[in-house]
Amino acid sequence: MDKVFITATGQFLPGPPVPNEAMIDYIGRLSPAAERLGRLTLRQNRIKTRHYAIRPDGGSDWTLATLAGAAVRSVLATAEIDPRAIGFLASATTQNDLMVPGLASGAHAAAGLPPMEIASLQSVCASSMMALKAAALQVAAGEHRAALAVGAEFSSRYFRPGFYQGTETLGDDGTLPGDAEFLRWTLSDGAAGLLIEDRPAARGLSLRIDWISLRSFADRFPPCMTGGGARDAAGMMTPWSLFGDIHAAAAAGAFQLRQDVDLLHRMLPVWLGEFMRLVDTGQIEPARVDHFLCHFSAHSLREEMARLATKAGCMIPEERWFTNIYEKGNVGAASIFLLLDDLRRSGKLAPGERILLAVPESGQCIMAYAGLTVVEG
């Protein structure tokens, strides 16, 4: 199949940057004890600011689809191609606005694009790489001359007190289990996307997609990051739709986002093992990586990943790591596209340089990598 190129990128982050001391005004107060746990989480993730599509009063001017549509329009604002020549749109997210239809339909409508082929990819962070690969393959196969991939998240709507009050998960002291508290103080909102074409842009720098690798290890792990279900006393996950009624599902906490942090840490060696497999096959050459864009949810995880890579002798020097998590937060499926857009705007790229993307996902253990080369039009 032919080579394909990322020729334009864009992003949309709702509202002003929200500093740590103002977070509680947006996600709402549960208890002083919960806020103490939140401060501990912030020390672990070291995120300083983030963006929320929700207002302090709990309302919003946005949906996930309109966030995605705004990001697509941001991409098109810098693109050389006529939007009518774009034939495919792939969307990525953790949780859509609606159960039916998929996000791609809503993003397509919100972006104001003409009729086109679409695909909705839903997982957690790695859904962005699923969308990227779907769009790249469409162009590489000659199905379409140009394709869009967009990732979007609206996590803050699940963190308001009303999603916890009256449920079995809220303790007598007003605190949540650690697997719910961690995400409440870590995730944020926004959208980002990119345009893939069958040729580089005529002006400026484009990114040639050399390869994309994504592997699931769900055969080795139970679900780790979940929403839409609750575990029973034996640890078995029951989907919300199998409870006796909607009220029972809500009371059990089925509509809350949860992440098993202990299980997450057990996935780290598997993610690194996938890196080493790609080194062995020659797809990754650590010494030739000029810019390493790794999505991670917290600084503490970055430190553990670096420790394991150093011990294994395959560490990419940290001065080659490019991140924006401390200023823009963890935006899930939008994060890797946000990183790419910020890197392209940073002025740090030069023709011939190599970029390595890395997206670990804790949903049920996925690891995705991609290799890009900077080219000049």
Side-chain angles (χ1 to χ4, degrees):
M1 291 188 291
D2 294 334
K3 290 293 184 183
V4 297
F5 304 84
I6 298 171
T7 58
T9 56
Q11 62 181 271
F12 179 78
L13 297 172
V18 177
N20 289 348
E21 56 270 19
M23 283 183 70
I24 198 66
D25 295 330
Y26 288 82
I27 60 177
R29 286 178 165 80
L30 286 173
S31 70
E35 292 178 44
R36 286 194 295 272
L37 291 174
R39 289 191 290 272
L40 175 61
T41 300
L42 290 169
R43 286 197 294 271
Q44 293 174 334
N45 64 38
R46 296 196 188 178
I47 297 171
K48 302 301 181 185
T49 57
R50 75 284 295 145
H51 293 256
Y52 288 132
I54 202 166
R55 297 190 302 265
D57 65 4
S60 179
D61 298 317
W62 298 95
T63 65
L64 185 70
T66 56
L67 291 173
V72 169
R73 291 194 298 274
S74 173
V75 174
L76 298 178
T78 63
E80 297 174 352
I81 194 172
D82 186 328
R84 292 172 294 183
I86 301 172
F88 182 80
L89 167 67
S91 68
T93 192
T94 302
Q95 289 185 296
N96 189 18
D97 294 314
L98 306 172
M99 289 186 286
V100 179
L103 173 60
S105 295
H108 176 206
L113 292 168
M116 57 171 40
E117 184 177 351
I118 62 172
S120 298
L121 286 305
Q122 183 271 323
S123 191
V124 192
C125 306
S127 60
S128 58
M129 297 291 272
M130 300 173 192
L132 172 62
K133 189 162 189 175
L137 289 175
Q138 287 278 345
V139 177
E143 288 286 310
H144 301 284
R145 180 195 161 189
L148 288 158
V150 62
E153 300 285 10
F154 191 168
S155 300
S156 65
R157 54 189 168 179
Y158 301 106
F159 299 149
R160 296 288 298 178
F163 274 80
Y164 305 103
Q165 291 166 342
T167 70
E168 299 167 10
T169 58
L170 189 63
D172 293 337
D173 61 350
T175 62
L176 297 167
D179 59 355
E181 201 72 71
F182 175 78
L183 293 180
R184 192 167 183 253
W185 297 89
T186 299
L187 300 181
S188 51
D189 307 334
L194 47 83
L195 174 66
I196 298 170
E197 297 187 64
D198 58 2
R199 67 202 74 184
R203 297 178 299 276
L205 301 177
S206 297
L207 308 175
R208 187 181 70 227
I209 301 176
D210 298 322
W211 55 270
I212 302 171
S213 171
L214 185 148
R215 297 183 92 193
S216 166
F217 298 91
D219 58 322
R220 307 182 190 181
F221 295 94
C224 175
M225 182 173 173
T226 59
R231 298 187 189 278
D232 60 21
M236 297 298 294
M237 179 68 67
T238 301
W240 69 269
S241 54
L242 295 183
F243 280 81
D245 56 62
I246 198 75
H247 305 290
F255 301 107
Q256 299 169 7
L257 284 175
R258 312 285 286 270
Q259 184 172 55
D260 185 331
V261 178
D262 291 336
L263 182 58
L264 167 66
H265 280 272
R266 295 204 294 274
M267 293 179 181
L268 291 173
V270 175
W271 294 337
L272 180 62
E274 179 65 3
F275 180 91
M276 297 177 71
R277 183 187 72 84
L278 294 173
V279 170
D280 289 341
T281 62
Q283 283 184 289
I284 295 178
E285 299 178 75
R288 299 188 65 185
V289 173
D290 299 292
H291 304 279
F292 182 41
L293 278 58
C294 181
H295 168 61
F296 51 90
S297 61
H299 182 84
S300 57
L301 285 173
R302 170 179 172 153
E303 289 184 322
E304 181 64 11
M305 292 161 68
R307 186 189 69 80
L308 290 174
T310 300
K311 185 176 180 180
C314 59
M315 176 65 177
I316 296 172
E318 290 209 55
E319 61 268 20
R320 300 182 193 173
W321 290 42
F322 181 87
T323 189
N324 57 14
I325 190 172
Y326 306 114
E327 299 78 33
K328 295 188 174 178
N330 177 358
V331 200
S335 290
I336 199 67
F337 296 162
L338 279 168
L339 281 167
L340 268 177
D341 186 48
D342 283 350
L343 179 62
R344 287 185 76 242
R345 296 171 188 268
S346 70
K348 296 181 178 181
L349 294 179
E353 289 186 330
R354 295 188 177 188
I355 302 169
L356 178 63
L357 309 182
V359 182
E361 178 185 301
S362 64
Q364 198 163 347
C365 197
I366 297 173
M367 188 67 233
Y369 293 97
L372 314 175
T373 300
V374 182
V375 299
E376 191 164 19

